[in-house]
C-alpha cells in the first residue's frame, strides 16, 4: 500500500508547463528521492502532493485514499524556503506548530522537550528564535517537521545550507525514520546524497519524468564500463582497442571502456592482461558501477545541473 | 475553525506581549489628551501680564481702558495712566522701556472730529509681544463702545446690561445631556476609530509580509488553508485593536469620572459617551476593520517587503483620508443629502455613519442599509482578497502586475 501516489499529474501556469505526466509512488519504510535540476518541477510536484496547489489533471492519493486535508495531520513538511517566527520563543513556536498538526498543547510540549534533548539544544528552548545560531534554527526546523510523528515526511532540498554536522544528523534521523516504517520523500539536486540514502528515485527534467525506479534496478541497467586504475611503469597499454577514453590524474587513471554490441557491460579482462604484459606494475584495478551523477548527466545533459535557476516558485 | 482559532490566538498573544503594544497603549492617549488640552489652552485667549503705560488727553478713556486691561477677563496687566501728557512724557517713557521698567506704551491721540475715533499708537519693548497687543486691541473695543453709548445718553447700568455676554444653552431633542461634551466624545471616538483601523489594517499587511519574508507560511500552508490563515490573522490583529480601545475607553471613563482630567483641562471638559454610542462604535469599528484589513491582507500578499507595501498604502489611506475631509460636511449638516450619501458608501460608512449617529440619530433604515451594504462589500472584498492571498503568498521575487492579479482570481 503506497503512502503517496501521484498518477499522471499535470500543472500548467499560464503558458509554462510546470509538471506533466508525473507519476510516482512511495512505500512505507522507504526513502524516495525526487531528483532534478533547479526549476525542473520538484517543488511544484511536492506542493501538489500536500494540497498547497491543486493539479490541473491527474490524481493525488495519500495513505491509499483520495487527497483530503485531514490526511495532512500525518504529514511533516519541510519546505525549501525554511523559516520560523523570529520573535517567538522556541517552545511556543513548537507548541503552535504541533497544535496546527492536531497535537494537544501538553503532548506538543512533552515531545518538544524530548526532541530538543535528542538534538542537544535544550538550552535553546526558552530563547527567541532570532537569538539562535543558524545551525540551531535548522535543528528547530527539523523538530517542527517531525514533532507530530508524521507517517509521511516530505523535505524539499533538506540538505541545502546545512552545515556538515547537521547534515550528518539529518541523514541519521532520516535513516532512523525509515527504520520506524515512515515513508520519506526528499528532493535534491545532490546526487551523492540521493545515492547514499534513497531506496528509489524519480529523476525529472523540465517537468517530465526521465528516469524512475529503485536505485538497484537503475544501476543494474547501466553498464559497468568504468575502470579505476593505478599503476607504475609504461602507459602504452592505455591505447588498447577496448579503451574508449581515459583521464590521467595524479595517482590514478580513469578509463572508460568501449561498449561491445550485444552485451551490457564490456569485458575488462583483455585490458588487464595487456597492462600486465606491457610491464606496468598494477596497484589498483577496479571495475566501478556508474554513479548516479553520471547517470543523471547522461539523461539530463551536462547543462542540466548548471542551468540558471529559473523563477523556481510557482503558485 | 480550530485552525483559525490557533492562528488568531498566536497573533493576539504575540502582539499583546510586544513592547510596542505597551508603548502605543500609553502614548496615544497621552498624545490625544495633550493635543486636546493644548488646543483648549490655545482657544482660550492667552493672558498677558505686561506692565504698560497709557497716554491720553482724555482721562476718562484712559481710566476705562486701565480698568478693562487690569480686571478684564482676558488680561491681567499693570497699567499706568498718564493724562494729560507733558512735553517730556515720550522721552521718559522711551527711557523706561530701555530700562525694562515698561513693556510698552499706548499713545492715544484725540479724534479730530466728533464722529471719528481717536488714533492709537502702540510702542512695545519687543515687537514679538503679540499677546499684549492683541489684549489691548480686544480691550479697546468694549471701552470705545461703552464710551460711545454713554455719549448717546445711556446710563452706565444700561450700558453694562447691554454688554453682558450671551449664554446659549443647547440640548439635543429628547435628551438632557450636554451636547458640547457629547460632540466632544463623538469627535474623539471618530479619530480613535480612524486611527485604529488604519494602524491595525497596516498591521495585518505587515504581519503577512513578515510571514512571507520569514518563509514560515509555507509550513503553515501544509496544514491549513490560506483562507483560514487570513481569517485568523484578521481576527487576531483585530482583537488586539479592540483590546487597546477597551483599555483606552475604560481608562477614559475612570479618569473623567474622578474629575481628575476635568480639573486639569480647565473645569468644563468631561466626556459624555452613551452606551448606544459605544455599541454603534463597536459595530462600525468591527465592520470597518474587517473591510480595511481584508484590503490590507490582499496588499500584503501581493508585496514582498515593507517598502513595496508603502507604494500601495494609498489604497488604505485614501478612503480613510476622504472620510476625514468629509467630516466637516457631516458635522455641519448630519442629515443633509450629501452626508447621507457619503455615509452610505461602504468605505466611509464606519467613520461617517458613526459620526452621524453621534450627532443626530439618522433614520433606522439608513443604519440598516449601511450595515447591509458594508456586509456585501466585505464579502466581495474577502472573496477577492482570499484569492489574491492564496496565490500571492506563494509568489516571491517579483511584484505582480494587474493582469497577473486578474488571472489569480480565476485560479481554483
Amino acid at each position: 500500500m503506497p503512502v503517496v501516489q501521484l498518477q499522471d499529474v499535470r500543472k500548467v501556469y499560464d503558458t509554462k508547463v510546470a509538471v506533466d505526466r508525473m507519476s510516482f509512488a512511495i512505500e512505507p519504510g522507504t526513502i524516495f528521492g525526487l531528483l532534478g535540476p533547479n526549476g525542473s518541477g520538484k517543488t511544484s510536484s511536492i506542493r501538489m502532493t500536500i494540497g498547497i496547489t491543486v493539479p490541473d489533471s491527474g490524481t493525488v492519493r495519500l495513505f491509499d485514499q483520495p487527497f483530503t486535508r485531514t490526511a495532512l495531520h500525518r504529514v511533516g513538511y519541510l519546505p525549501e524556503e525554511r523559516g520560523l517566527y523570529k520573535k517567538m520563543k522556541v517552545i511556543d513556536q513548537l507548541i503552535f506548530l504541533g497544535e496546527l498538526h492536531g497535537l494537544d498543547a501538553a503532548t506538543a510540549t512533552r515531545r518538544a522537550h524530548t526532541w530538543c534533548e535528542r538534538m542537544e539544544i535544550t538550552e535553546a528552548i526558552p530563547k527567541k528564535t532570532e537569538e539562535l545560531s543558524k545551525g540551531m534554527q535548522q535543528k528547530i526546523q527539523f523538530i517542527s517537521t517531525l514533532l507530530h510523528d508524521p507517517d509521511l515526511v516530505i523535505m524539499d532540498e533538506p540538505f541545502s545550507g546545512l552545515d556538515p554536522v547537521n547534515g550528518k544528523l539529518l541523514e541519521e534521523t532520516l535513516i532512523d525514520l525509515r527504520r520506524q516504517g515512515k515513508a520519506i520523500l526528499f528532493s535534491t539536486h545532490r546526487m551523492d546524497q540521493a545515492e547514499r540514502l534513497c531506496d528509489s528515485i524519480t529523476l525529472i527534467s523540465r517537468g517530465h519524468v526521465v528516469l524512475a525506479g529503485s536505485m538497484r534496478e537503475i544501476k543494474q541497467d547501466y553498464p559497468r564500463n568504468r575502470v579505476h586504475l593505478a599503476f607504475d611503469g609504461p602507459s602504452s597499454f592505455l591505447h588498447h582497442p577496448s579503451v574508449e577514453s581515459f583521464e590521467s590524474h595524479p595517482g590514478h587513471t580513469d578509463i572508460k571502456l568501449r561498449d561491445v554490441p550485444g552485451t551490457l557491460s564490456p569485458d575488462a579482462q583483455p585490458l588487464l592482461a595487456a597492462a600486465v604484459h606491457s610491464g606496468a606494475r598494477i596497484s589498483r584495478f577496479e571495475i566501478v558501477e556508474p554513479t548516479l551523477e553520471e547517470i543523471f548527466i547522461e539523461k539530463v545533459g551536462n547543462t542540466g545541473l548548471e542551468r540558471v535557476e529559473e523563477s523556481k516558485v510557482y503558485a | 475553525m480550530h485552525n483559525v482559532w490557533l492562528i488568531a490566538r498566536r497573533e493576539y498573544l504575540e502582539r499583546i506581549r510586544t513592547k510596542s503594544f505597551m508603548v502605543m497603549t500609553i502614548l496615544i492617549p497621552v498624545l490625544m489628551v495633550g493635543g486636546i488640552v493644548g488646543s483648549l489652552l490655545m482657544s482660550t485667549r492667552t493672558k498677558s501680564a505686561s506692565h504698560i503705560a497709557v497716554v491720553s488727553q482724555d482721562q476718562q478713556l484712559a481710566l476705562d481702558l486701565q480698568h478693562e486691561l487690569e480686571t478684564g477677563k482676558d488680561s491681567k496687566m499693570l497699567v499706568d495712566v498718564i493724562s494729560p501728557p507733558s512735553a517730556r512724557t515720550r522721552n521718559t517713557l522711551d527711557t523706561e522701556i530701555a530700562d525694562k521698567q515698561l513693556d510698552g506704551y499706548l499713545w492715544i491721540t484725540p479724534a479730530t472730529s466728533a464722529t471719528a475715533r481717536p488714533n492709537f499708537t502702540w510702542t512695545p519693548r519687543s515687537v514679538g509681544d503679540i499677546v499684549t497687543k492683541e489684549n489691548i486691541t480686544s480691550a479697546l473695543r468694549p471701552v470705545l463702545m461703552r464710551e460711545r453709548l454713554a455719549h448717546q445718553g445711556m446710563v452706565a447700568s444700561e450700558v453694562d446690561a447691554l454688554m453682558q455676554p450671551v449664554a446659549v444653552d443647547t440640548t439635543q431633542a429628547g435628551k438632557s445631556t450636554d451636547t458640547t461634551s457629547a460632540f466632544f466624545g463623538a469627535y474623539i471616538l471618530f479619530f480613535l476609530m480612524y486611527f485604529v483601523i488604519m494602524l491595525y489594517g497596516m498591521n495585518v499587511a505587515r504581519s503577512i509580509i513578515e510571514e512571507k519574508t520569514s518563509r514560515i507560511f509555507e509550513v503553515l500552508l501544509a496544514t491549513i488553508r490560506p483562507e483560514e490563515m487570513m481569517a485568523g490573522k484578521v481576527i487576531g490583529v483585530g482583537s488586539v485593536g479592540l483590546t487597546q480601545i477597551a483599555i483606552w475607553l475604560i481608562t477614559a471613563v475612570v479618569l473623567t469620572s474622578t474629575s481628575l482630567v476635568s480639573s486639569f483641562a480647565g473645569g468644563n471638559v468631561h466626556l459624555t459617551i452613551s452606551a448606544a454610542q459605544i455599541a454603534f462604535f463597536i459595530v462600525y469599528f468591527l465592520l470597518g476593520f474587517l473591510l480595511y484589513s481584508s484590503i490590507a491582507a490582499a496588499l500584503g500578499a501581493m508585496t514582498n517587503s515593507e517598502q513595496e507595501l508603502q507604494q500601495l498604502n494609498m489604497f488604505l489611506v485614501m478612503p480613510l483620508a476622504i472620510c476625514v475631509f468629509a467630516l466637516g460636511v457631516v458635522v455641519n449638516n448630519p442629515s443633509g443629502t450629501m452626508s447621507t450619501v457619503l455615509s452610505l458608501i461602504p468605505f466611509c460608512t464606519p467613520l461617517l455613519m458613526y459620526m452621524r449617529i453621534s450627532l443626530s440619530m439618522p433614520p433606522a433604515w439608513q443604519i440598516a442599509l449601511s450595515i447591509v451594504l458594508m456586509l456585501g462589500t466585505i464579502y466581495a472584498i474577502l472573496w477577492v482578497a482570499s484569492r489574491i492571498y492564496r496565490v500571492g503568498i506563494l509568489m516571491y521575487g517579483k511584484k505582480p502586475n494587474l493582469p497577473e492579479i486578474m488571472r489569480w482570481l480565476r485560479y481554483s
Side-chain angles (χ1 to χ4, degrees):
Chain A
M1 181 204 80
V3 175
V4 179
Q5 198 166 21
L6 263 68
Q7 195 72 50
D8 281 329
V9 164
R10 177 183 167 88
K11 184 81 182 175
V12 181
Y13 292 105
D14 299 331
T15 52
K16 191 177 183 338
V17 179
V19 174
D20 194 19
R21 275 175 285 147
M22 170 73 72
S23 301
F24 59 77
I26 307 171
E27 296 292 331
T30 62
I31 298 180
F32 172 86
L34 190 58
L35 314 181
N38 292 323
S40 57
K42 299 191 296 284
T43 300
S44 291
S45 306
I46 287 176
R47 283 182 174 171
M48 283 188 282
T49 309
I50 51 175
I52 292 181
T53 52
V54 181
D56 296 336
S57 65
T59 53
V60 176
R61 289 170 73 85
L62 286 186
F63 305 106
D64 216 22
Q65 304 277 326
F67 178 85
T68 54
R69 298 195 67 87
T70 45
L72 291 176
H73 281 176
R74 296 171 66 190
V75 180
Y77 173 49
L78 180 74
E80 180 180 8
E81 299 284 356
R82 293 187 278 271
L84 296 162
Y85 289 109
K86 291 192 196 74
K87 307 247 176 234
M88 215 172 167
K89 281 183 186 161
V90 168
I91 186 71
D92 291 343
Q93 188 137 237
L94 289 175
I95 294 172
F96 170 68
L97 291 169
E99 283 183 303
L100 276 183
H101 286 91
L103 294 183
D104 59 81
T107 314
T109 316
R110 190 159 34 80
R111 287 200 193 161
H113 280 101
T114 315
W115 270 105
C116 286
E117 272 163 38
R118 182 167 164 190
M119 295 278 182
E120 295 169 353
I121 47 165
T122 42
E123 75 274 17
I125 293 176
K127 287 188 184 160
K128 284 186 181 175
T129 312
E130 61 187 355
E131 296 165 14
L132 303 181
S133 70
K134 186 125 191 191
M136 279 179 156
Q137 292 190 23
Q138 288 168 348
K139 286 182 180 176
I140 302 291
Q141 195 95 46
F142 298 153
I143 296 176
S144 72
T145 311
L146 303 172
L147 194 66
H148 54 287
D149 196 25
D151 296 315
L152 169 62
V153 178
I154 295 179
M155 295 186 166
D156 199 355
E157 296 280 359
F159 292 99
S160 72
L162 284 200
D163 59 55
V165 178
N166 280 346
K168 189 82 195 135
L169 187 72
L170 176 59
E171 246 178 59
E172 283 163 5
T173 312
L174 290 182
I175 290 167
D176 192 43
L177 288 169
R178 168 167 61 186
R179 193 162 40 233
Q180 292 171 29
K182 315 287 188 193
I184 296 144
L185 185 169
F186 81 93
S187 80
T188 184
H189 58 268
R190 283 189 47 192
M191 299 304 140
D192 55 328
Q193 225 129 34
E195 189 159 2
R196 234 182 3 256
L197 290 170
C198 291
D199 300 299
S200 60
I201 60 157
T202 287
L203 178 57
I204 60 175
S205 173
R206 292 163 203 249
H208 290 82
V209 176
V210 289
L211 185 66
S214 79
M215 193 67 85
R216 191 166 309 157
E217 286 165 4
I218 287 172
K219 288 226 169 164
Q220 277 172 357
D221 285 351
Y222 277 78
R224 292 157 62 93
N225 60 356
R226 310 223 167 220
V227 177
H228 285 176
L229 182 69
F231 67 97
D232 287 318
S235 61
S236 55
F237 69 92
L238 291 174
H239 300 286
H240 190 268
S242 67
V243 175
E244 186 181 295
S245 62
F246 65 89
E247 269 178 57
S248 294
H249 302 283
H252 77 281
T253 304
D254 289 341
I255 295 171
K256 188 172 182 221
L257 296 175
R258 204 179 296 279
D259 288 337
V260 180
T263 57
L264 179 64
S265 300
D267 189 3
Q269 288 300 323
L271 176 65
L272 180 60
V276 171
H277 188 73
S278 75
R281 307 278 320 161
I282 311 292
S283 54
R284 181 180 172 203
F285 189 93
E286 184 187 6
I287 301 163
V288 290
E289 57 183 10
T291 64
L292 196 55
E293 186 152 346
E294 285 161 340
I295 296 173
F296 178 87
I297 289 170
E298 191 183 313
K299 275 286 178 184
V300 180
N302 208 353
T303 51
L305 271 177
E306 276 122 42
R307 243 175 69 197
V308 183
E309 202 164 309
E310 288 175 32
S311 63
K312 60 184 169 209
V313 182
Y314 312 101
Chain B
M1 225 30 227
H2 182 63
N3 288 338
V4 175
W5 154 246
L6 286 174
I7 297 274
R9 191 187 61 181
R10 191 204 78 84
E11 201 73 35
Y12 182 81
L13 291 178
E14 286 299 308
R15 266 165 205 286
I16 289 281
R17 286 177 193 159
T18 56
K19 282 196 191 74
S20 64
F21 177 79
M22 304 278 194
V23 171
M24 288 295 260
T25 307
I26 296 166
L27 204 62
I28 285 173
V30 167
L31 285 178
M32 265 190 154
V33 169
I36 291 162
V37 169
S39 62
L40 276 174
L41 289 179
M42 293 290 269
S43 64
T44 60
R45 192 176 300 257
T46 331
K47 293 181 179 181
S48 165
S50 306
H51 179 196
I52 66 162
V54 174
V55 187
S56 172
Q57 291 286 350
D58 183 348
Q59 193 179 12
Q60 187 55 45
L61 177 64
L63 287 174
D64 280 350
L65 187 58
Q66 181 191 34
H67 178 75
E68 187 71 30
L69 285 174
E70 285 186 340
T71 60
K73 66 175 166 61
D74 290 338
S75 59
K76 288 277 179 291
M77 292 192 207
L78 182 60
V79 181
D80 299 337
V81 171
I82 303 170
S83 178
S86 67
R88 294 204 330 277
T89 307
R90 197 179 283 271
N91 280 337
T92 320
L93 288 173
D94 285 340
T95 323
E96 281 180 30
I97 284 184
D99 292 348
K100 297 188 178 174
Q101 287 168 9
L102 267 186
D103 290 312
Y105 59 89
L106 182 73
W107 195 284
I108 305 175
T109 323
T112 44
S113 71
T115 50
R117 280 180 170 180
N119 274 323
F120 302 96
T121 316
W122 167 240
T123 313
R125 179 155 61 89
S126 147
V127 267
D129 190 359
I130 303 164
V131 179
T132 307
K133 190 189 171 196
E134 274 187 4
N135 283 174
I136 293 170
T137 318
S138 60
L140 273 171
R141 271 170 29 92
V143 167
L144 284 176
M145 200 185 282
R146 203 182 290 270
E147 195 202 28
R148 188 63 55 87
L149 288 171
H151 264 293
Q152 303 288 329
M154 266 195 192
V155 192
S157 61
E158 280 182 314
V159 174
D160 282 343
L162 194 66
M163 305 272 293
Q164 259 323 300
V166 183
V168 179
D169 290 336
T170 40
T171 51
Q172 215 173 344
K175 286 186 204 166
S176 57
T177 48
D178 177 2
T179 44
T180 317
S181 57
F183 174 73
F184 211 65
Y187 208 68
I188 287 182
L189 286 182
F190 175 91
F191 277 101
L192 204 64
M193 194 190 298
Y194 167 81
F195 201 82
V196 172
I197 287 179
M198 177 116 88
L199 185 73
Y200 284 93
M202 292 305 293
N203 272 350
V204 170
R206 244 183 243 124
S207 136
I208 288 165
I209 289 176
E210 185 197 315
E211 277 179 15
K212 276 184 92 167
T213 44
S214 76
R215 310 293 195 220
I216 184 89
F217 64 89
E218 203 170 333
V219 179
L220 305 183
L221 283 183
T223 48
I224 61 176
R225 293 167 193 276
E227 293 86 345
E228 292 174 325
M229 200 162 145
M230 190 172 126
K233 277 203 170 297
V234 168
I235 292 171
V237 175
S239 312
V240 177
L242 268 184
T243 309
Q244 199 157 47
I245 290 178
I247 295 175
W248 289 339
L249 282 184
I250 291 168
T251 316
V253 167
V254 168
L255 281 182
T256 48
S257 67
T258 57
S259 75
L260 190 79
V261 166
S262 35
S263 65
F264 174 63
N268 54 359
V269 184
H270 55 98
L271 291 176
T272 324
I273 301 169
S274 65
Q277 234 176 324
I278 289 180
F280 276 114
F281 179 84
I282 290 173
V283 167
Y284 281 110
F285 168 75
L286 287 180
L287 290 173
F289 175 76
L290 217 54
L291 184 77
Y292 280 97
S293 61
S294 26
I295 299 176
L299 295 183
M302 274 189 257
T303 48
N304 297 299
S305 65
E306 292 249 353
Q307 287 87 332
E308 277 182 43
L309 180 67
Q310 300 290 338
Q311 297 165 9
L312 296 174
N313 252 350
M314 55 165 186
F315 288 108
L316 273 187
V317 178
M318 279 289 277
L320 285 170
I322 288 170
C323 292
V324 175
F325 286 128
L327 183 61
V329 178
V330 175
V331 168
N332 284 336
N333 186 2
S335 315
T337 319
M338 189 67 176
S339 301
T340 310
V341 170
L342 279 172
S343 66
L344 285 175
I345 298 172
F347 294 96
C348 300
T349 297
L351 288 168
L352 295 183
M353 187 57 94
Y354 167 71
M355 199 64 190
R356 288 184 60 201
I357 289 173
S358 307
L359 294 173
S360 75
M361 199 54 142
W365 69 266
Q366 285 186 11
I367 295 180
L369 179 62
S370 79
I371 291 177
V372 169
L373 283 176
M374 275 210 81
L375 287 175
T377 313
I378 288 170
Y379 181 82
I381 287 181
L382 276 177
W383 188 87
V384 171
S386 68
R387 261 159 188 78
I388 290 181
Y389 189 88
R390 178 152 94 182
V391 184
I393 196 148
L394 286 170
M395 303 283 284
Y396 24 81
K398 73 188 177 77
K399 208 165 101 183
N401 52 25
L402 194 63
E404 276 176 310
I405 292 171
M406 296 308 285
R407 260 200 310 273
W408 292 359
L409 298 183
R410 292 199 299 270
Y411 286 156
S412 54

